[in-house]
């Protein structure tokens, strides 16, 4: 049994980890980011005959709300597509709810509205596009001959196979009327200013939300190679296979993007830097694990745990922080997400090799939603797996079934924040006294 002293230490560590996580989220506040950029683009707005406002992603509503005062005098039309958790009414804006992580009929409706708005752009107009994470699923514009059900199947296959986000978005672009720069091409007669909240490594605008206003970051051949790499070619729905055949036969010349200005206004790196700076107030040693955590979640858990075991030999409080998006190969039918699975794996590793100091490990999605669950992630400590077993749960069996949600729920270790209104990938915070 843990002493009262160690219990008190863990409570404090949990409070500090959660506070740091919330500071990281606040660092990429979408409203303030939009305001800061548009204050420098007043001349562009003044020169425009009309402004067409298009917003999509998990931060679409706060981004649109922040932009309206700047463009209200010239606003021709405005639409925003977001997920149900972040849905909000905005005067003068058509707000549509789409599906995430898998697209739904709302995603199709939202994409249709965006496509119509972009097609209406005329010479002299300014198309202001506000992009945030989740936009790829929330706006579903299937290429001709492809049904929504086909796109849902494709998204599910890509998520379950363990592909990196850049690989997933490269494939998505093959089957869309908007992704891969096609939205920008629809508005080719006007100027396009795209303000982008990044949730991908390196803040590649060709990858974020599948790059609707940017030159594709992957070639068609590279996207096809992803399907081959994960053995997906033979299990694609017939309509998708037929479309791939048409792409090979009808490769088009590269489009121009001279009329587009893409600006990244918030990112995981910005949030991670805020977490590090804030942690320094209480932790003399602050270590950044990596610029972007990626790869299989089991490997990521082992790496972070090894770092923690080593850091436990240092004197004084230590903080280890990271950001990114590990991947999960889904083999079971349980409930969870990559952050919950990372937290559970970390706690189980500590049973094999104990960290010889009081510690807390938090892994959470900055959007407040980890996978298809209502949790942002998990927050565990040395007693987490002990509590799971005392309450009748077998954490190893649950992990094997990809059921990290119920394992963490049993021990009270789910990280619950609700929708945050932003999305800059995941943050990991390990604190030890």
């Amino acid at each position: 049994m843990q002493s009262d002293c160690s219990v008190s230490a863990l409570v404090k560590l949990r409070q500090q980890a959660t506070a740091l996580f919330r500071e990281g989220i606040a660092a990429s506040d979408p409203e303030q980011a939009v305001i800061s950029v548009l204050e420098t683009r007043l001349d562009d707005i003044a020169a425009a005959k009309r402004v067409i406002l298009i917003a999509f992603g998990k931060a679409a509503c706060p981004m649109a709300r922040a932009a309206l005062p700047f463009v209200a005098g010239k606003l021709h039309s405005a639409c925003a597509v977001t997920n149900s958790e972040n849905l909000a009414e905005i005067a003068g804006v058509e707000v549509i709810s789409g599906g995430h992580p898998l697209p739904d009929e709302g995603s199709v409706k939202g994409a249709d509205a965006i496509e119509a708005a972009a097609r209406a752009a005329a010479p002299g107009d300014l198309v202001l596009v506000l992009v945030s994470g989740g936009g790829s699923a929330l706006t579903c514009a299937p290429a001709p001959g492809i049904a929504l059900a086909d796109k849902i199947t494709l998204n599910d296959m890509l998520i379950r196979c363990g592909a990196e986000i850049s690989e997933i978005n490269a494939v998505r672009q093959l089957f869309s009327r908007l992704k891969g720069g096609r939205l920008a091409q629809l508005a080719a007669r006007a100027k396009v200013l795209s303000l982008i909240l990044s949730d991908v490594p390196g803040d590649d605008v060709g990858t974020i939300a599948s790059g609707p206003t940017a030159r594709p970051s992957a070639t068609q051949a590279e996207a096809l190679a992803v399907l081959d790499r994960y053995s997906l070619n033979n299990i694609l729905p017939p309509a998708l296979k037929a479309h791939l055949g048409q792409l090979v036969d009808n490769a088009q010349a590269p489009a121009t993007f001279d009329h587009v200005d893409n600006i990244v206004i918030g990112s995981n790196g910005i949030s991670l830097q805020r977490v590090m700076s804030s942690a320094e107030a209480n932790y003399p040693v602050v270590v950044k694990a990596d610029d972007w955590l990626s790869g299989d979640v089991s490997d990521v858990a082992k790496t972070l745990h090894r770092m923690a075991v080593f850091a436990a030999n240092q004197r004084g409080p230590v903080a280890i922080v990271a950001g990114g998006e590990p991947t999960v190969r889904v083999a079971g039918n349980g409930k969870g997400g990559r952050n919950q699975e990372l937290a559970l794996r970390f706690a189980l590793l500590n049973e094999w090799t104990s960290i010889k100091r009081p510690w807390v490990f938090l892994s959470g999605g900055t959007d407040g939603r980890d996978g298809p669950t209502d949790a942002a992630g998990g927050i565990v400590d040395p007693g987490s797996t002990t509590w799971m077993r005392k309450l009748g749960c077998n954490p190893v069996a649950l992990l094997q079934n990809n059921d990290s949600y119920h394992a963490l729920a049993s021990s009270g270790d789910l990280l619950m924040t609700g929708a945050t209104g932003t999305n800059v990938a995941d943050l990991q915070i390990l604190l030890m006294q």
Side-chain angles (χ1 to χ4, degrees), residues 21-101:
F21 180 67
R22 291 189 177 278
E23 285 203 42
I25 292 171
S28 289
D29 175 78
E31 291 191 59
Q32 188 55 52
V34 168
I35 290 170
S36 296
V37 173
L38 290 184
E39 284 176 342
T40 69
R41 307 302 291 255
L42 298 178
D43 289 345
D44 293 334
I45 297 170
K49 292 182 179 179
R50 307 182 304 174
V51 174
I52 295 171
L53 176 63
I54 297 171
F56 53 95
K58 294 180 182 178
C61 287
M63 293 176 80
R65 191 163 46 238
L68 279 178
F70 291 89
V71 302
K74 297 195 173 185
L75 190 63
H76 172 67
S77 66
C79 62
V81 186
T82 192
N83 56 328
S84 59
E85 294 88 345
N86 289 302
L87 196 68
E89 291 187 9
I90 307 174
V93 180
E94 180 187 10
V95 182
I96 300 168
S97 176
H100 189 277

Side-chain angles (χ1 to χ4, degrees), residues 310-385:
F310 176 80
N313 296 320
Q314 308 296 312
R315 290 185 177 181
V318 177
I320 300 174
V321 300
E325 275 193 7
T327 56
V328 175
R329 287 185 178 271
V330 180
N333 60 4
K335 182 179 181 180
R338 60 180 176 265
N339 288 288
Q340 293 161 67
E341 184 155 326
L342 178 55
L344 179 56
R345 285 183 178 276
F346 190 97
L348 286 168
L349 286 170
N350 194 65
E351 292 187 336
W352 289 92
T353 305
S354 177
I355 302 169
K356 304 300 183 182
R357 294 165 64 173
W359 60 268
V360 161
F361 175 67
L362 178 153
S363 184
T366 54
D367 60 351
R369 181 174 179 178
D370 184 34
T373 76
D374 57 355
I379 177 168
V380 293
D381 61 45
S384 291
T385 52

Side-chain angles (χ1 to χ4, degrees), residues 20 272-273 275-276 279 286-290 293 304 307 319-323 427-431:
L20 288 171
L272 186 56
Q273 187 57 51
V275 172
M276 293 180 67
V286 179
V287 179
K288 182 166 69 170
D290 203 340
L293 281 184
L304 292 176
M307 291 184 69
I320 300 174
V321 300
L427 293 173
Q428 289 78 31
I429 302 168
L430 172 67
L431 303 179

